[in-house]
């Protein structure tokens, strides 16, 4: 068992390219510095601080999707970042056509760098076709937390907690060019509730 970082460290996602090329992302707290990624090279973990190229500070990373060692997508805060094996590039509304004002991205998934999905707060879903980003209509304003799928189908889950006794959850399915709600539950109660 390996432990990365001290108390307060959070690992949010993992991407396994092969047994000697594994990435974990999140927020890794050490006595000397904080990091937002770690890479396993088959022998040891290297802690990494992935910085946006135009800023001198970094964000924790929420999600990672890796196709090869030179084709990796990450999510830092509200913006997607691409790693080509040498350089990191953060897409922004100012320099790219990434939609502005979507809030945080919680998860990413895709079948290739020409077919990427980004899901996040306020029901936001963005698709990237290798050239352009397009905001998709999810039909919900709930916080979307995870996405997964295959070449034929894509599924998204999400939930918001309104207070300690109430919340909403949703499951979305992408098929034939549109998102459909498979299940929407309102007013669920946490397990520790007496109601």
């Amino acid at each position: 068992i390996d432990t990365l970082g001290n108390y307060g460290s959070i690992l949010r996602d993992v991407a396994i390219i092969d047994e000697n090329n594994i990435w974990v992302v999140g927020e890794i707290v050490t006595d000397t510095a904080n990091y937002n990624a770690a890479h396993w090279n088959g022998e040891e973990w290297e802690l990494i601080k992935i910085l946006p190229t135009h800023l001198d500070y970094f964000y924790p990373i929420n999600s990672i999707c890796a196709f090869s060692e030179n084709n990796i997508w990450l999510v830092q805060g509200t913006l997607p970042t691409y790693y080509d094996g040498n350089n990191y590039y953060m897409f922004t509304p100012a320099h790219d056509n990434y939609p502005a004002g979507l809030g945080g991205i919680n998860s990413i998934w895709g079948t290739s760098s020409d077919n990427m999905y980004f899901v996040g707060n306020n029901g936001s879903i963005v698709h990237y076709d290798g050239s352009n980003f397009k905001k998709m209509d999810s039909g919900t304003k709930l916080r979307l937390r995870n996405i997964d799928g295959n070449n034929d189908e894509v599924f998204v889950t999400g939930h918001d907690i309104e207070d300690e006794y109430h919340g909403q959850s949703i499951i979305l399915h992408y098929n034939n060019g549109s998102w459909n709600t498979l299940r929407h539950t309102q007013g669920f109660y946490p397990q520790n509730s007496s109601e």
Side-chain angles (χ1 to χ4, degrees):
I1 297 175
D2 291 329
T3 301
L4 300 176
N6 299 336
Y7 179 81
S9 296
I10 299 171
L11 301 179
R12 300 187 186 274
D13 204 1
V14 61
I16 301 172
I17 298 167
D18 61 49
E19 64 184 16
N20 298 316
N21 196 346
I22 301 171
W23 289 81
V24 293
V25 296
E27 186 170 8
I28 303 166
V29 179
T30 71
D31 293 334
T32 56
N34 292 355
Y35 303 87
N36 54 9
H39 178 254
W40 174 257
N41 64 12
E43 296 181 13
E44 63 183 356
W45 287 101
E46 175 192 5
L47 300 181
I48 302 169
K49 189 180 292 190
I50 298 173
L51 302 169
T53 57
H54 60 287
L55 301 173
D56 60 357
Y57 60 93
F58 71 101
Y59 298 103
I61 296 176
N62 291 336
S63 189
I64 184 169
C65 184
F67 301 106
S68 72
E69 61 186 324
N70 300 321
N71 190 358
I72 299 173
W73 288 85
L74 311 156
V75 172
Q76 293 180 276
T78 62
L79 301 171
T81 300
Y82 180 73
Y83 178 61
D84 65 7
N86 294 307
N87 299 301
Y88 295 93
Y89 180 78
M90 179 179 277
F91 292 88
T92 66
H95 298 102
D96 309 289
N97 66 343
Y98 189 81
L102 296 179
I105 302 171
N106 299 317
S107 187
I108 59 175
W109 173 85
T111 58
S112 72
S113 285
D114 295 334
N115 186 33
M116 294 295 301
Y117 293 88
F118 308 86
V119 300
N121 299 340
N122 301 315
S124 67
I125 301 176
V126 174
H127 181 256
Y128 181 66
D129 65 7
S131 299
N132 296 299
F133 292 93
K134 178 184 176 188
K135 187 175 186 299
M136 304 179 85
D137 182 12
S138 69
T140 184
K141 293 292 184 189
L142 293 179
R143 182 177 297 169
L144 302 178
R145 306 238 181 206
N146 205 356
I147 182 167
D148 203 351
N150 57 42
N151 287 326
D152 300 317
E153 297 182 294
V154 184
F155 296 90
V156 170
T157 59
H159 73 272
D160 275 335
I161 297 174
E162 297 162 11
D163 58 41
E164 64 182 300
Y165 301 108
H166 302 91
Q168 296 184 53
S169 63
I170 196 162
I171 301 171
L172 302 174
H173 176 237
Y174 186 66
N175 195 5
N176 296 324
S178 65
W179 289 97
N180 300 295
T181 301
L182 290 181
R183 182 176 176 115
H184 180 214
T185 303
Q186 292 182 296
F188 70 84
Y189 298 102
Q191 290 183 353
N192 62 353
S193 171
S194 60
E195 298 181 38

